[in-house]
Structures are given as structure tokens and as C-alpha cells.
Amino acid sequence: NAGVTQTPKFQVLKTGQSMTLQCAQDMNHEYMSWYRQDPGMGLRLIHYSVGAGITDQGEVPNGYNVSRSTTEDFPLRLLSAAPSQTSVYFCASSYSRQGARSTDTQYFGPGTRLTVL
Amino acid sequence: TQLLEQSPQFLSIQEGENLTVYCNSSSVFSSLQWYRQEPGEGPVLLVTVVTGGEVKKLKRLTFQFGDARKDSSLHITAAQPGDTGLYLCAGAGSSNTGKLIFGQGTTLQVKP
């Protein structure tokens, strides 16, 4: 198994540009999520999905869109990039389903380092 | 809003020393996880604690969940340079959606 994969690894955007960060997992996990990591702030949840066709907002959803058309893929779209979105983005997945245990291991991808100029 | 406060944020020690990292909240969590993250990589789960007062050991690492399930600690005995990294605690609420609230992280540097 490849686990959780993310592309690209690095990206530089200009303010106002749009782009999609890709995330895929091959573990048949129901739960997938996107976090951003900024210095001194840990990881903050952007959006999450408890299964194909179901998404919901996390702590910091503004400026980001997600969709979940398949179990495997969970892309994150930046609609109009802003310098405040400069961060490292992590995708994670776990076996958890809606109403399932909160103790399941979350598996993280290697991250996408995004810079918005 | 549930928050997790980690302390200290930075720790630089010599090889062989002991250390403790704390994770505190005013909220009750149904479980708490500790992750370790190395530069350029995603966090990797070390342990999950679910019962108040629970203690788990992983070689030289000891994890404890507070009796009231509001706090946790990570103790490392005889730290080694290989322990260097970012340590993150993450709490799960009672809603069982799989969502986690992360602390700010503790950056540990162990010098040879």
C-alpha cells in the first residue's frame, strides 16, 4: 500500500490564482481530512469527509473548497489564493466512519508546502 | 471550542537527560493521541490513551492520561538524538466523528 499520497510537494502561487491540492489513499478509509500547519499553531482542521459524497467544515474553512466523489480521493481547492494561505497542508485518512470510534489512527500524507506571493 | 495547550513549545536538552511534555485543556476528551513529526514529513501516531488515569509505555516513552481526561503527559527517559522532532498531542471529542483537535506542538532537540 502507498498509504496517503499528496501532490504536489511544493507549490508557489501568485495572489488570486487558484489551484487544487491532490490527496489519495489506498487503504479504503472512510474518513479523510485536510489540515494546515503553521509555526506555533499545531495542525488546524480545514475540511473533512466521513465518506464519499459527504463533506463538512473544520476550524478554518474559509477560502477552501472540497469534494469527495470517490472513497480514494479528497482534493482541496484554493479558489483565489491569498498570502495568508501560505502554509504546509496535510491530508489524513482513518478508518473512522460517522459514529465510529474516535480512537482510530489517522494516517498523514507527506504534506504540500504552499507559498502565496 | 475545545483547545489543547502544549508546554513547553521548545525544548533543547543533552543526550541522556529526561524530559516531560504536557498537554492541558479545560475540556474533557474521549481519547487523546500523541504524534511525532520529523521535518518534511507528516505526523506519525505514537499512542492513543482512552481511559482516565491510563499509563502506556513505548520503550523509553511513557504516556499518561489524566484522571479527568482533560490532560496528558509524555515523559521520555534518557533522551537520544533520534528522539529529536515535533511532538503533537491531539484530542478527540465525544461526538465520535473522527475529528481531532491538535495542540501547538513541542519541538524537541536532543544534542549528542
Side-chain angles (χ1 to χ4, degrees):
Chain A
N1 287 351
V4 179
T5 57
Q6 289 183 241
T7 56
K9 196 165 180 62
F10 300 95
Q11 183 71 50
V12 178
L13 292 177
K14 294 182 180 178
T15 297
Q17 287 185 315
S18 62
M19 79 158 295
T20 299
L21 307 186
Q22 301 292 342
C23 173
Q25 52 89 13
D26 61 359
M27 297 174 282
N28 202 32
H29 285 168
E30 294 286 342
Y31 181 86
M32 296 186 74
S33 55
W34 275 101
Y35 293 88
R36 60 177 289 172
Q37 185 173 37
D38 302 292
M41 301 188 76
L43 284 93
R44 292 182 292 168
L45 183 64
I46 304 172
H47 285 285
Y48 66 98
S49 168
V50 297
I54 306 170
T55 63
D56 205 346
Q57 296 181 350
E59 299 173 68
V60 288
N62 292 341
Y64 308 95
N65 272 0
V66 292
S67 60
R68 185 96 179 270
S69 56
T70 67
T71 299
E72 294 78 20
D73 300 296
F74 191 42
L76 177 72
R77 280 181 286 277
L78 279 70
L79 307 173
S80 178
S84 61
Q85 294 178 304
T86 293
S87 187
V88 182
Y89 291 85
F90 288 99
C91 178
S93 74
S94 72
Y95 182 70
S96 301
R97 292 173 298 213
Q98 193 170 21
R101 299 167 302 157
S102 58
T103 56
D104 292 326
T105 301
Q106 294 218 19
Y107 295 87
F108 285 84
T112 294
R113 186 175 295 273
L114 176 68
T115 301
V116 182
L117 303 175
Chain B
T1 303
Q2 293 178 306
L3 292 173
L4 274 171
E5 297 286 338
Q6 260 186 264
S7 61
Q9 286 197 32
F10 300 97
L11 200 51
S12 181
I13 61 173
Q14 293 295 133
E15 182 177 0
E17 292 183 5
N18 302 331
L19 67 116
T20 302
V21 177
Y22 299 93
C23 184
N24 296 301
S25 176
S26 58
S27 304
V28 174
F29 290 95
S30 61
S31 66
L32 201 136
Q33 298 180 331
W34 285 92
Y35 289 80
R36 179 166 169 262
Q37 183 180 16
E38 298 197 24
E41 298 181 7
V44 175
L45 180 69
L46 294 173
V47 77
T48 301
V49 285
V50 297
T51 306
E54 182 176 4
V55 177
K56 280 193 174 179
K57 292 191 175 184
L58 188 65
K59 296 184 181 178
R60 294 175 293 100
L61 279 62
T62 302
F63 304 86
Q64 185 163 6
F65 202 11
D67 291 340
R69 289 187 287 128
K70 292 182 179 181
D71 55 87
S72 181
S73 64
L74 157 61
H75 182 78
I76 301 179
T77 304
Q80 299 177 359
D83 295 326
T84 293
L86 177 66
Y87 290 82
L88 295 155
C89 63
S94 57
S95 57
N96 271 346
T97 60
K99 291 170 63 176
L100 293 176
I101 303 296
F102 279 84
Q104 311 99 310
T106 296
T107 299
L108 172 64
Q109 180 186 42
V110 182
K111 301 174 188 174

